[in-house]
Amino acid sequence: MSQSPKVGPLEPPTKKKLFDGLSPWQMVLSVLPLALLLVGGAIGGGVGGLAMVANVKIAKTQLPTPVKAAAMLGVALAAGVVVLVVAGMLSDALD
């Protein structure tokens, strides 16, 4: 007769937090695009949120530190340009 294997209680899976493993400067550069929420309202918040996720992904790569910092600043700058372009397009469309 074969016996069924004994299984202990299952532990719930641990959730990884978004900012786990980031240094303070990486966290600051990651949330920097969220400042677009103050300037662009919902559009700025949406674009800033996407840019924040992109910055967290960049921060968790194995790139050299100066390259990471430049890429994260570039993402924040590009997000700002996107908000300005979208706001301009909406302004023209509503006139």
Side-chain angles (χ1 to χ4, degrees):
M1 242 187 211
S2 65
Q3 294 179 344
S4 61
K6 296 186 180 196
V7 177
L10 298 176
E11 294 181 22
T14 57
K15 269 187 141 179
K16 282 189 166 183
K17 305 232 177 183
L18 185 63
F19 296 109
D20 278 353
L22 298 184
S23 64
W25 71 268
Q26 290 173 328
M27 282 189 269
V28 168
L29 287 181
S30 292
V31 299
L32 180 65
L34 289 181
L36 292 172
L37 179 65
L38 301 172
V39 177
I43 296 169
V47 173
L50 292 173
M52 181 192 73
V53 171
N55 273 348
V56 169
K57 289 186 182 277
I58 290 170
K60 291 184 178 184
T61 62
Q62 296 296 321
L63 293 171
T65 301
V67 175
K68 268 188 211 183
M72 292 170 78
L73 287 171
V75 166
L77 181 64
V81 169
V82 167
V83 168
L84 291 175
V85 168
V86 169
M89 290 171 59
L90 281 175
S91 177
D92 286 343
L94 295 176
D95 282 342

